[in-house]
Amino acid sequence: MPALTYFDKLFPPAALQARIAKAHPDKRGKGVLLGLTRPDEVGVFWRDELDKWFEVGDRHRAIDADLEKRLQSGDWDQFIQAVNELQAAWFFEQKLGHTISFRPAGAGRSVLEFSFVGPDGAEVFVEVKSPYDELPEDDVVLLDDEGKFRQSLKKAYKQIPKDGRRTLVVIAWEGFPVSGVADALLALYGREPSVTFRAGTREMTDPRHPERFWHPGQNRSLCAVATLEDGVINTRRSAILDSVWETGKFPTQMPTPEFRYMLRTYHNPWCTSPPLDQRIFGDWPQFVPDDAAACMRWTSDPRD
């Protein structure tokens, strides 16, 4: 494996291999450790990205004893939550160009992941959640992606401030869920994610989904939810499988693999705090209120 400054600082190669050798084959932690050393192109890309995310944490001195313990625990739930906190911070700093500050105060004694000042000069407070750590192992099979998504939101909402500050929850998905957009729309807005205006208030046109996270009487302190997805695309393995499936032959030319991100932001039309400046998210797709058309609309194709 090539030397990776910040990855190797947290996971020295020799120590990592020694931990793998000692790990019990039936323990979940061994899967995390093996994932960090997998030799294929997915592993190479992932370690490279991890190094970038760890660099942000190291530079901001955000990798304290608690975060380092979670990263090195060997437990997948703790590891992926800690990784995604750093990934989101890296994305907002490096991809979106915001100057971030780690660990601002949230509701009560809670501490959020980071904050930044938007283009309009207003500070935005961010909490990051990963659907995986919200669920006991025995219950994972009982909830679909929509259920995991909503459960993560409920936990995050307890931590965000309710005092008029602008707030954003980032839900970090692993890979690119095929149903990701549909699950988010269903969990947040209900079966029909459109809005109508009546007597100066916004009401959902379809009230059939009582568990939707947002409506005029519920969870109005949260300005927006963003989903951050990542994954390696155009791998040799996927190219071979696709070609054999479609033609019965191995491909004559291999694609160039790449690590890709996707950010989608869903705005709360009933938020009691000032809305987030849409410029925060650059050209990434956003689902926003359209006052003129009295509905919600995408600013760009969410499938891109």
Side-chain angles (χ1 to χ4, degrees):
M1 295 190 331
L4 298 167
T5 304
Y6 300 96
F7 180 90
D8 290 347
K9 184 176 180 179
L10 279 167
F11 300 99
L16 193 56
Q17 293 294 340
R19 288 181 63 190
I20 292 173
K22 293 179 181 179
H24 192 282
D26 294 332
K27 296 292 184 181
R28 297 176 72 202
K30 187 167 185 177
V32 177
L33 299 174
L34 289 174
L36 293 173
T37 58
R38 59 185 293 180
D40 63 359
E41 55 197 345
V42 173
V44 172
F45 272 94
W46 196 41
R47 283 188 294 275
D48 185 60
E49 296 304 304
L50 284 170
D51 196 61
K52 297 175 185 177
W53 307 339
F54 293 162
E55 184 277 331
V56 170
D58 186 86
R59 175 161 42 83
H60 287 273
R61 298 183 179 179
I63 303 180
D64 57 9
D66 173 70
L67 187 58
E68 184 172 342
K69 181 180 179 180
R70 287 189 287 145
L71 288 169
Q72 297 179 341
S73 68
D75 178 82
W76 176 255
D77 293 341
Q78 293 190 50
F79 172 79
I80 201 64
Q81 177 67 45
V83 162
N84 286 342
E85 291 169 11
L86 294 174
Q87 180 202 48
W90 172 86
F91 190 94
F92 274 78
E93 182 184 80
Q94 298 297 318
K95 290 286 189 179
L96 297 177
H98 302 303
T99 300
I100 63 174
S101 299
F102 276 88
R103 299 196 175 88
R109 297 183 178 181
S110 64
V111 177
L112 305 179
E113 257 63 76
F114 60 91
S115 66
F116 63 89
V117 176
D120 59 355
E123 190 170 12
V124 179
F125 296 83
V126 183
E127 175 64 14
V128 180
K129 287 296 177 210
S130 303
Y132 330 102
D133 80 322
E134 313 303 324
L135 305 169
E137 286 184 50
D138 292 342
D139 294 340
V140 171
V141 296
L142 301 179
L143 289 179
D144 56 12
D145 284 345
E146 180 207 342
K148 298 176 192 176
F149 189 95
R150 189 184 300 108
Q151 195 172 63
S152 293
L153 289 175
K154 289 179 179 178
K155 184 173 182 180
Y157 195 76
K158 295 177 181 178
Q159 298 175 250
I160 65 168
K162 317 294 191 301
D163 54 8
R165 281 182 278 175
R166 291 167 172 84
T167 52
L168 171 69
V169 169
V170 176
I171 300 293
W173 291 104
E174 181 193 17
F176 298 106
V178 174
S179 59
V181 174
D183 287 324
L185 291 173
L186 188 59
L188 288 169
Y189 305 99
R191 297 193 183 281
E192 293 292 337
S194 59
V195 176
T196 185
F197 295 80
R198 296 176 184 169
T201 63
R202 300 176 179 184
E203 299 179 1
M204 190 61 61
T205 57
D206 183 356
R208 290 176 297 168
H209 198 296
E211 293 190 56
R212 65 176 184 269
F213 187 74
W214 279 332
H215 59 68
Q218 179 174 288
N219 302 326
R220 299 181 66 184
S221 295
L222 177 59
C223 297
V225 171
T227 58
L228 180 58
E229 304 161 22
D230 67 73
V232 181
I233 62 173
N234 298 332
T235 64
R236 290 174 56 87
R237 180 175 182 272
S238 63
I240 292 172
L241 290 176
D242 289 345
S243 181
V244 170
W245 176 262
E246 294 174 5
T247 69
K249 300 178 181 179
F250 280 89
T252 57
Q253 186 175 1
M254 289 295 180
T256 301
E258 62 177 300
F259 200 94
R260 184 183 176 190
Y261 294 91
M262 170 54 77
L263 180 77
R264 301 182 184 92
T265 304
Y266 305 82
H267 293 258
N268 182 359
W270 302 287
C271 186
T272 53
S273 301
L276 297 188
D277 189 328
Q278 294 180 26
R279 293 174 295 174
I280 288 171
F281 306 99
D283 295 330
W284 297 93
Q286 302 177 61
F287 197 59
V288 301
D290 186 333
D291 291 359
C295 66
M296 300 287 289
R297 65 174 178 83
W298 284 104
T299 58
S300 58
D301 192 340
R303 298 168 297 178
D304 291 343

